[in-house]
Amino acid sequence: MNVGTTPSGEPVERHVLSKGRLRASILSYGAILQTLEVSGTNVVLGYPDLADYFTRSRYFGAVVGRYGNRIAGGRFTLDGRSYELPVNNGPNSLHGGTYGFDRRVWQVADVSGTSVTLRHVSPDGEEGYPGTLDASVTYTVDEDAVRMDYRAVTDAPTVLNLTNHSYFNLAGGGDVLGHVVRLDADHYLPVDDTLIPTGELAPVAGTPFDFTVPHRIGERIDDPALGNGYDHCYVLRADRGSGASIEVVEPTGGLVMTVTTTEPGVQFYTGNMLDGVATAYGRHAGLCLETQHFPDSPNRPDFPSVVLRPGEEFTSSTTYRFS
């Protein structure tokens, strides 16, 4: 279904997927998860009107890339060559730059009643990144889950970190300070004052970052150690494939969301910068669980590699399950 055009005149489609009690709306603009209804309650932040995504969005529901999260100074070196990226978040490059994947119209490659595959071919040099990258994301809904499967190939060495930037609110409204979170993560990445990792993998034990046992988001969110709230990358346990890496409970209605992923980390963000004016959503109206590789990995050889080379295929999968 065509729902309008971008400011440059590109048509944008919406595809609705449903099975059982789940119903998801996907936009070809930004590969955005516009709505995700669980038994009739929409549990993600977004806008009913396409035009709002051009001016009022904070990456709501979008697939961000080429590099989700931050790269220090907007630069990195690969195979001895330096690359300059747009600086759009203080001194750093964030979520692929000023015109990242979240602002591109993706092509619909395949669609059915329960899944849609969207594709974006990013040319060599787009936002400063090397290599022509052919990337896709497939959204699939099941009786109680939505799964996101990513694939990508390149014709030259490049760096890649794809993730979805949905803001979840399991109550369908209000703030998420009462949501209870558990993270299978014994370490997190401390950051500097521009939110770039220092390089340390710090233990969460004894700190307000510890969610190895469940805690309410609002319980410790004002602790000075957090800065402006939770906006940190957690290092998921190596055995994450054996069970749920992340669990979120909305205690009033009882809805539970469990998240499993093939990624080594998750950026846990609590909507600290939402202002209720420019975005229509107030502070802490949603929480993000951006499954991904670590921020600034192109400049951190000790972090898991984000380099993709010709002949290789990038794959990644994350499932959000509701009970």
Side-chain angles (χ1 to χ4, degrees), residues 105-124:
V105 175
W106 295 53
Q107 301 304 307
V108 178
D110 189 42
V111 64
S112 72
T114 58
S115 71
V116 61
T117 298
L118 302 168
R119 179 188 179 205
H120 174 56
V121 178
S122 174
D124 179 40

Side-chain angles (χ1 to χ4, degrees), residues 28-57:
S28 59
Y29 177 76
I32 286 171
L33 177 62
Q34 184 183 26
T35 62
L36 178 60
E37 297 176 34
V38 182
S39 299
T41 298
N42 180 31
V43 298
V44 296
L45 307 190
Y47 297 113
D49 296 326
L50 175 65
D52 284 326
Y53 285 98
F54 306 141
T55 59
R56 308 186 73 189
S57 183

Side-chain angles (χ1 to χ4, degrees), residues 7-37:
S8 63
E10 295 178 90
V12 176
E13 298 180 14
R14 176 192 292 127
H15 292 272
V16 178
L17 315 175
S18 63
K19 188 172 183 180
R21 62 179 182 149
L22 259 64
R23 179 181 173 93
S25 296
I26 314 295
L27 298 179
S28 59
Y29 177 76
I32 286 171
L33 177 62
Q34 184 183 26
T35 62
L36 178 60
E37 297 176 34

Side-chain angles (χ1 to χ4, degrees), residues 269-289:
Y269 173 55
T270 49
N272 314 315
M273 301 303 293
L274 301 180
D275 61 9
V277 179
T279 63
Y281 292 101
R283 193 166 188 242
H284 307 315
L287 65 94
C288 298
L289 295 166

Side-chain angles (χ1 to χ4, degrees), residues 24-201:
S25 296
I26 314 295
L27 298 179
S28 59
Y29 177 76
I32 286 171
L33 177 62
Q34 184 183 26
T35 62
L36 178 60
E37 297 176 34
V38 182
S39 299
T41 298
N42 180 31
V43 298
V44 296
L45 307 190
Y47 297 113
D49 296 326
L50 175 65
D52 284 326
Y53 285 98
F54 306 141
T55 59
R56 308 186 73 189
S57 183
R58 294 295 184 270
Y59 305 100
F60 291 141
V63 171
V64 292
R66 278 189 202 190
Y67 199 91
N69 221 309
R70 294 169 177 84
I71 294 181
R75 63 177 66 92
F76 68 93
T77 300
L78 177 60
D79 294 342
R81 181 175 174 181
S82 296
Y83 295 92
E84 298 288 332
L85 312 173
V87 171
N88 62 330
N89 183 248
N92 307 315
S93 185
L94 175 67
H95 293 332
T98 54
Y99 201 63
F101 287 10
D102 62 296
R103 293 183 175 270
R104 306 286 177 175
V105 175
W106 295 53
Q107 301 304 307
V108 178
D110 189 42
V111 64
S112 72
T114 58
S115 71
V116 61
T117 298
L118 302 168
R119 179 188 179 205
H120 174 56
V121 178
S122 174
D124 179 40
E126 184 174 82
E127 294 297 281
Y129 289 90
T132 298
L133 184 83
D134 190 338
S136 70
V137 58
T138 299
Y139 288 95
T140 304
V141 297
D142 204 339
E143 297 282 350
D144 60 356
V146 59
R147 189 177 75 245
M148 303 168 194
D149 294 299
Y150 306 88
R151 294 184 180 275
V153 293
T154 182
D155 66 356
T158 192
V159 297
L160 181 66
N161 192 25
L162 298 177
T163 189
N164 180 275
H165 205 293
S166 287
Y167 292 71
F168 292 93
N169 184 318
L170 302 188
D175 64 46
V176 295
L177 296 179
H179 284 41
V180 178
V181 174
R182 178 181 60 79
L183 295 168
D184 286 344
D186 299 313
H187 297 83
Y188 78 102
L189 304 183
V191 294
D192 65 18
D193 58 3
T194 70
L195 300 180
I196 293 294
T198 63
E200 178 188 7
L201 272 62

